[in-house]
Amino acid sequence: MANYVMEIGEVSKIKLHGHIDASIAPNLMNELKPLIERKGEIKKLVFYANELEYIASAGIRAVVFAKQKLGANVQVYLVGASAAILDVFKMTGIDKFLTIQDSFEG
Amino acid sequence: MLKNLEFPAKREVLPKMLATITAEITKYTGDDKWINRLKICSEEILVNIIDYSGSSNVFISCEFVNDALRFEFVDEGKPYNPLAEKPDVDIDAGIEERGIGGLGIFLYTTIMDKMEYKFEDGKNHLIAIKNLSGKLVD
């Protein structure tokens, strides 16, 4: 059963949670692969980060990977991230490619 | 203070190493941003050692001296200075041009005030210093 990917469709939803360090990030990456194979169906990709406590570069790379593979027409959201999590995305400049919101409706 | 605490250099031990380091950092700062940043730096350094050094063990020290946290990571792998390689990370590049390598070293060299590498007694020593009072470290 998927641990992160909640829904694949026009609006695909991923729930990031806990600690995504280098020992965990490969699991996230593996879950993203089947989602990317269905990229024709996807218009929006939402990463929910309300329960994400920690993310390092290995986890950031998984988000970059998804954004790159889905292409420019798919809008990628980062929703509900704490200040400490947003700090990492900003330091790496990845925040510029994401739509950052407190919540996501729809 | 952590003094030469030894861990097996394995990815599955990484959460335990990070929990130990985080517990130490929180003795000196309650600022979530800095706790998180210093934890990330530690992780990026440790992952490099685990994945590439060939060392069986890693030794972690952390002490608070002159308003600064001083971390030292020691391994018994092949001599390797990560600071000699300038990370090829352009944070202004478009998403398609963003490579996936170099992000870890970019993060820790950006976050830390001072870093030093030495090969001594047959071991790699990577020292990372962050001043928590806002003053720059000489």
Side-chain angles (χ1 to χ4, degrees):
Chain A
M1 191 182 142
N3 193 21
Y4 298 104
V5 176
M6 297 156 63
E7 199 176 316
I8 304 178
E10 200 167 298
V11 179
S12 293
K13 298 177 178 178
I14 295 165
K15 184 176 180 178
L16 303 174
H17 55 86
H19 284 56
I20 303 185
D21 62 29
S23 66
I24 297 293
N27 302 344
L28 171 61
M29 195 67 116
N30 285 337
E31 284 195 31
L32 289 173
K33 284 172 185 166
L35 179 143
I36 283 156
E37 282 171 16
R38 291 172 59 182
K39 71 176 182 181
E41 301 169 42
I42 301 171
K43 293 206 168 91
K44 294 178 178 178
L45 175 63
V46 186
F47 286 97
Y48 290 93
N50 309 64
E51 292 173 29
L52 180 61
E53 294 167 37
Y54 171 80
I55 191 164
S57 72
I60 300 267
R61 274 196 285 274
V63 175
V64 172
F65 169 78
K67 174 71 183 162
Q68 286 179 333
K69 296 293 179 193
L70 291 174
N73 294 331
V74 176
Q75 198 167 3
V76 179
Y77 294 78
L78 181 67
V79 174
S82 68
I85 297 291
L86 281 179
D87 181 53
V88 193
F89 280 91
K90 285 178 182 166
M91 267 193 294
T92 52
I94 303 303
D95 60 316
K96 295 197 295 282
F97 309 111
L98 307 172
T99 304
I100 293 167
Q101 295 180 177
D102 290 336
S103 61
F104 183 86
E105 303 294 332
Chain B
M1 185 171 85
L2 305 177
K3 187 75 181 164
N4 259 334
L5 212 56
E6 183 176 352
F7 294 91
K10 294 185 187 325
R11 276 206 177 203
E12 57 265 34
V13 186
L14 186 64
K16 190 178 173 190
M17 295 185 219
L18 293 177
T20 305
I21 291 169
T22 306
E24 188 64 19
I25 295 168
T26 52
K27 290 180 188 171
Y28 307 107
T29 178
D31 184 334
D32 284 344
K33 184 177 86 175
W34 279 106
I35 293 167
N36 195 57
R37 284 182 167 192
L38 294 169
K39 187 175 168 187
I40 287 171
C41 290
S42 303
E43 162 162 353
E44 306 298 346
I45 290 167
L46 287 165
V47 167
N48 269 338
I49 292 172
I50 291 166
D51 288 354
Y52 303 115
S53 75
S55 180
S56 303
N57 298 299
V58 56
F59 302 85
I60 300 171
S61 299
C62 175
E63 60 180 332
F64 190 67
V65 191
N66 298 331
D67 293 335
L69 268 173
R70 181 187 186 277
F71 298 86
E72 185 165 352
F73 301 89
V74 178
D75 72 73
E76 299 166 318
K78 53 183 183 281
Y80 174 67
N81 178 5
L83 306 177
E85 286 185 25
K86 197 171 165 57
D88 184 21
V89 174
D90 177 4
I91 64 164
D92 296 319
I95 191 76
E96 293 302 328
E97 288 81 51
R98 291 298 297 262
I100 57 161
L103 209 51
I105 183 169
F106 169 79
L107 280 169
Y108 66 72
T109 53
T110 303
I111 291 169
M112 287 296 180
D113 289 328
K114 186 178 182 183
M115 295 205 62
E116 279 173 26
Y117 167 83
K118 60 186 177 184
F119 190 75
E120 204 171 84
D121 305 325
K123 295 171 186 171
N124 292 299
H125 296 250
L126 190 60
I127 295 152
I129 298 171
K130 179 66 211 175
N131 192 303
L132 294 172
S133 71
K135 286 184 291 190
L136 289 174
V137 178
D138 293 330

